[in-house]
Amino acid sequence: EAGVVQSPRYKIIEKKQPVAFWCNPISGHNTLYWYLQNLGQGPELLIRYENEEAVDDSQLPKDRFSAERLKGVDSTLKIQPAELGDSAVYLCASSLQRANTGELFFGEGSRLTVL
Amino acid sequence: GENVEQHPSTLSVQEGDSAVIKCTYSDSASNYFPWYKQELGKRPQLIIDIRSNVGEKKDQRIAVTLNKTAKHFSLHITETQPEDSAVYFCAAFGGYQKVTFGIGTKLQVIP
């Protein structure tokens, strides 16, 4: 069975440019997470979906970040415009059960460098 | 919200020795505590977890203990091997259904 798939793995852009990351969760997993991971830090939640509903986006900087999960499967995270401080790894994860009971399966991450 | 503190941030041990990583959490409603291992450039992967109704869990060389009263849990790795070198993250699933991670511990096992 395929794991969580993310693309692109690496992205280098100039500041003020837009960027988008895509995530395909494990088939059947209803919960999907986007995390931000800075170098030497733990993952920080940006947004959590239960099916197609964003149930926790309190940490998502909504002035420049947006996300969607159409049809409750794949998800896209967008940054527009990107800033230097957005350089980080963006991790997508999915789980089968509700957030407080299940294992998270992570993708390989999308490493963003903003110049 | 939940606050998870993890220490030490770095840990070096000789091969064969034991390693202990400790985490504390703030939300008394948290009830699930996983540990993830992340090798350089790779995805975090679950290595062991514990639920709030259990005090200790073992899986070969890895064990996790939980003290709900004190709100802390620990990862114990015995007979460490070079392939144990990685960053380890603790996490807590809190009362708001939010997963909060610790900052990570970089473990180096010296051959």
Side-chain angles (χ1 to χ4, degrees):
Chain A
E1 179 182 321
V4 176
V5 179
Q6 290 187 245
S7 68
R9 288 293 314 279
Y10 305 93
K11 189 73 176 179
I12 301 173
I13 61 171
E14 299 279 338
K15 64 180 180 181
K16 299 185 181 180
Q17 294 299 306
V19 64
F21 305 112
W22 173 81
C23 174
N24 178 238
I26 291 174
S27 178
H29 281 195
N30 61 316
T31 306
L32 184 146
Y33 309 76
W34 282 102
Y35 282 92
L36 166 72
Q37 187 175 27
N38 286 303
L39 187 64
Q41 300 291 317
E44 299 172 37
L45 182 69
L46 290 171
I47 190 168
R48 174 169 66 90
Y49 284 92
E50 295 285 350
N51 299 305
E52 66 274 8
E53 181 183 0
V55 296
D56 185 355
D57 63 357
S58 58
Q59 302 302 311
L60 189 72
K62 298 181 183 66
D63 57 336
R64 297 184 301 107
F65 285 64
S66 64
E68 60 182 11
R69 190 184 184 196
L70 300 176
K71 301 181 181 179
V73 181
D74 295 358
S75 179
T76 303
L77 177 69
K78 297 179 181 178
I79 309 174
Q80 182 171 10
E83 297 179 351
L84 295 176
D86 295 332
S87 296
V89 175
Y90 291 84
L91 290 166
C92 179
S94 69
S95 68
L96 180 60
Q97 299 169 295
R98 287 200 173 273
N100 60 344
T101 60
E103 175 184 354
L104 268 61
F105 293 83
F106 284 89
E108 296 279 7
S110 293
R111 181 178 295 277
L112 174 65
T113 301
V114 183
L115 303 176
Chain B
E2 177 68 277
N3 181 44
V4 176
E5 296 187 358
Q6 181 173 349
H7 60 93
S9 56
T10 60
L11 179 60
S12 291
V13 299
Q14 292 290 332
E15 181 177 358
D17 287 351
S18 295
V20 180
I21 303 170
K22 299 182 180 181
C23 288
T24 61
Y25 61 97
S26 60
D27 187 351
S28 57
S30 293
N31 58 7
Y32 174 61
F33 307 92
W35 286 88
Y36 285 81
K37 175 182 180 182
Q38 187 175 28
E39 297 177 4
L40 189 63
K42 303 215 172 155
R43 71 186 81 193
Q45 292 192 294
L46 181 74
I47 56 171
I48 195 167
D49 56 13
I50 190 166
R51 299 190 186 277
S52 59
N53 58 346
V54 176
E56 182 176 1
K57 183 177 179 181
K58 286 187 72 173
D59 183 3
Q60 298 182 13
R61 298 185 297 107
I62 296 173
V64 58
T65 59
L66 171 65
N67 183 325
K68 284 214 72 180
T69 303
K71 295 197 193 114
H72 67 71
F73 55 112
S74 301
L75 177 71
H76 305 252
I77 306 175
T78 59
E79 301 172 25
T80 53
Q81 301 168 3
E83 52 265 37
D84 294 329
S85 296
V87 179
Y88 291 81
F89 295 98
C90 63
F93 280 64
Y96 296 101
Q97 296 189 331
K98 181 176 289 188
V99 185
T100 303
F101 285 84
I103 64 168
T105 296
K106 184 176 181 180
L107 173 64
Q108 181 183 19
V109 179
I110 303 167

